[in-house]
Amino acid sequence: MIDFELTDEQQLIRETAADFANREIIPVARENDRAHRFDTELVAKMADMGYLGAIVSEQYGGRGLDYLSYGLIVEEVGRGDSSARTVVSVQTSLVCSSIERWGTEEQKHEWLPKLCSGEALGCFGLTEPNTGSDAANLSTRAKKTSDGWTISGQKQWISMGNHAKLALIFAQTDPKLGHRGLAAFLVPTDSDGFSSSEIHGKLGLHSSDTAELALDEVAVGDEALLGEIGDGFKVAMSALDSGRFSVASGCVGICQGCVDASVDYAKQREQFDRPIAGFQLVQAMLADMVVDTHAARGLVWKAGWLKDRGKPNTLETSVAKLYASEAAIRTANTAIQVHGGAGYVDDHPVERYLRDARVTTLYEGTSQIQKLIIGRSVTGINAMV
Ligand code: COS
């Protein structure tokens, strides 16, 4: 049976998130973008809505929602502002999900309530200056001490790295073991030897905090280890299964925002004595945008449906992330075309949509990595070795 009908609860969650985006996110998005401001008040409001721990169990302070509902929330937040959406994606999918899935009861009770309530922000420290797609090849080292570990290395492109109280840090414990030597650590960012600095000059996501992290002999106890030694790569990959779904959901929001803005504009903008919405070539652009939006949303919902049933979904998540991120760029680009010169300045949201969409085919696995995952899945041949 295929059923595209949302439950009453999912419908309510969607409407509430849309209303939240309209009231709290969209009115401040342009000013935050211009000011390059990481909006901590908005983060607190999203936390109050339960959006930082939507899929976390209620016993740990989350809302215990299903993935489809989470995707609906992330779509609406992404329609509002991808920088705000990045907060939700990183906090919920990369950090909270990893702790809930791999953590001990002590770790879950210590961190999840604070993360869900927004008392603490978390960041995901996988990528390094010389390690992006080849995620197993980390330079950051963790050395065993008598009562814990010392971690040294650098992390790059870390969303929320300057605001986070907790960093999920991936490090190599034994280079001879390759990906089976990796471990994940819950590192408080006020630890001695931990520092962060802001990365400037980004094309988009101006109101998202993006950091470089440096760990200089940071000492943590044994209780900081998340999962077992050697589980680090699996922790990262399982986090990205959730994170890629979240990015894809946010991209559907960009697509929908572009359609909404373009339809409105095309109906009120007049040329040759009639609204440009009456021109076939404008309608063709709108139609392309609508098709991309529907297709992306359908793929995201399918991935969420599989997650909610506990079925394997790495392939479907990569398909959704690849399609939705590329669709967001196409749609935002077309939306600017519909707006003409007006779309090139920030009186309308579409130029920000394009700038913010651009990163989504890069982070949480490039489009090329998604294609290699999809290609391996259908051929059984690993093109990455
Ligand atoms: N969940 C849990 N475990 C997973 C997994 C998943 N989704 N995917 C793989 N694993 C496990 C495998 O089961 C395997 O376990 P064993 O060691 O027990 O055999 C292990 O991880 C290695 O898997 P695999 O051989 O598939 O890994 P590869 O080295 O081939 O992975 C890719 C290569 C490209 C897929 C991976 O490095 C990747 O996703 N790179 C992109 C990283 C990225 O997205 N960076 C952005 C960071 S966030 S901005």
Side-chain angles (χ1 to χ4, degrees):
M1 182 188 85
I2 296 178
D3 185 355
F4 287 103
E5 194 131 35
L6 299 175
T7 64
D8 288 347
E9 192 194 354
Q10 287 167 334
Q11 190 58 36
L12 182 62
I13 287 167
R14 186 186 212 180
E15 286 164 13
T16 306
D19 182 56
F20 178 81
N22 292 340
R23 272 189 301 106
E24 304 289 354
I25 304 180
I26 290 172
V28 294
R30 181 173 81 161
E31 283 319 308
N32 282 337
D33 180 71
R34 281 188 173 185
H36 292 235
R37 181 190 303 121
F38 181 79
D39 189 339
T40 51
E41 281 172 32
L42 178 57
V43 173
K45 287 176 187 169
M46 292 197 293
D48 288 346
M49 295 296 290
Y51 293 168
L52 301 189
I55 44 177
V56 176
S57 310
E58 285 170 305
Q59 60 170 316
Y60 303 119
R63 278 185 63 184
L65 297 179
D66 57 287
Y67 257 90
L68 189 49
S69 299
Y70 172 52
L72 296 170
I73 291 169
V74 176
E75 176 184 331
E76 292 302 336
V77 174
R79 181 176 62 83
D81 184 353
S82 293
S83 293
R85 197 274 306 153
T86 297
V87 175
V88 177
S89 297
V90 171
Q91 183 90 344
T92 310
S93 283
L94 298 184
V95 181
C96 289
S97 296
S98 299
I99 296 173
E100 186 161 27
R101 174 159 177 192
W102 296 92
T104 61
E105 278 308 309
E106 290 73 28
Q107 288 169 328
K108 293 184 207 181
H109 282 291
E110 179 178 2
W111 287 109
L112 289 176
K114 287 182 208 160
L115 292 164
C116 293
S117 70
E119 183 189 334
L121 291 179
C123 66
F124 185 76
L126 177 65
T127 302
E128 301 181 349
N130 294 316
T131 300
S133 295
D134 186 7
N137 189 23
L138 297 180
S139 300
T140 299
R141 294 282 180 265
K143 286 194 190 129
K144 189 77 191 84
T145 59
S146 56
D147 57 350
W149 298 83
T150 54
I151 307 172
S152 293
Q154 267 182 298
K155 298 289 174 182
Q156 179 90 340
W157 314 124
I158 308 302
S159 297
M160 306 207 286
N162 296 299
H163 286 268
K165 287 191 177 155
L166 172 69
L168 177 50
I169 296 290
F170 295 86
Q172 180 57 267
T173 63
D174 183 352
K176 291 193 296 299
L177 297 178
H179 76 262
R180 295 204 174 96
L182 296 183
F185 296 91
L186 297 168
V187 181
T189 57
D190 60 2
S191 305
D192 286 344
F194 190 105
S195 60
S196 69
S197 57
E198 193 175 342
I199 295 176
H200 295 283
K202 289 177 295 183
L203 173 69
L205 288 189
H206 287 167
S207 39
S208 177
D209 168 39
T210 311
E212 187 171 311
L213 308 180
L215 292 91
D216 181 12
E217 302 270 313
V218 173
V220 291
D222 284 322
E223 73 288 351
L225 182 66
L226 184 68
E228 304 292 326
I229 302 163
D231 281 345
F233 194 72
K234 292 181 187 178
V235 175
M237 290 299 119
S238 60
L240 289 168
D241 274 343
S242 180
R244 288 168 184 166
F245 173 82
S246 192
V247 171
S249 302
C251 288
V252 177
I254 293 177
C255 291
Q256 187 63 57
C258 288
V259 171
D260 296 346
S262 299
V263 169
D264 280 355
Y265 185 79
K267 283 165 81 173
Q268 59 87 14
R269 169 74 173 169
E270 294 194 357
Q271 289 293 283
F272 304 101
D273 297 325
R274 56 178 158 142
I276 62 169
F279 291 111
Q280 291 182 3
L281 291 178
V282 172
Q283 289 199 4
M285 287 193 280
L286 296 176
D288 286 344
M289 294 162 67
V290 170
V291 171
D292 257 342
T293 307
H294 282 229
R297 186 179 289 120
L299 294 171
V300 167
W301 284 21
K302 172 150 188 216
W305 186 88
L306 290 169
K307 286 176 195 296
D308 285 331
R309 278 150 192 79
K311 293 178 187 282
N313 60 83
T314 299
L315 168 68
E316 288 78 5
T317 300
S318 281
V319 170
K321 199 271 187 180
L322 172 64
Y323 191 86
S325 57
E326 298 283 351
I329 294 171
R330 272 195 302 274
T331 303
N333 201 32
T334 307
I336 292 178
Q337 198 66 21
V338 172
H339 283 71
Y344 198 66
V345 290
D346 65 4
D347 294 343
H348 297 275
V350 291
E351 60 83 40
R352 178 169 50 81
Y353 281 139
L354 180 63
R355 286 186 288 106
D356 288 352
R358 191 62 192 82
V359 74
T360 63
T361 65
L362 307 176
Y363 69 10
E364 306 215 18
T366 60
S367 288
Q368 287 68 30
I369 287 293
Q370 309 310 328
K371 286 180 184 175
L372 290 171
I373 292 171
I374 295 164
R376 176 164 65 178
S377 173
V378 294
T379 62
I381 300 169
N382 184 356
M384 289 167 274
V385 287

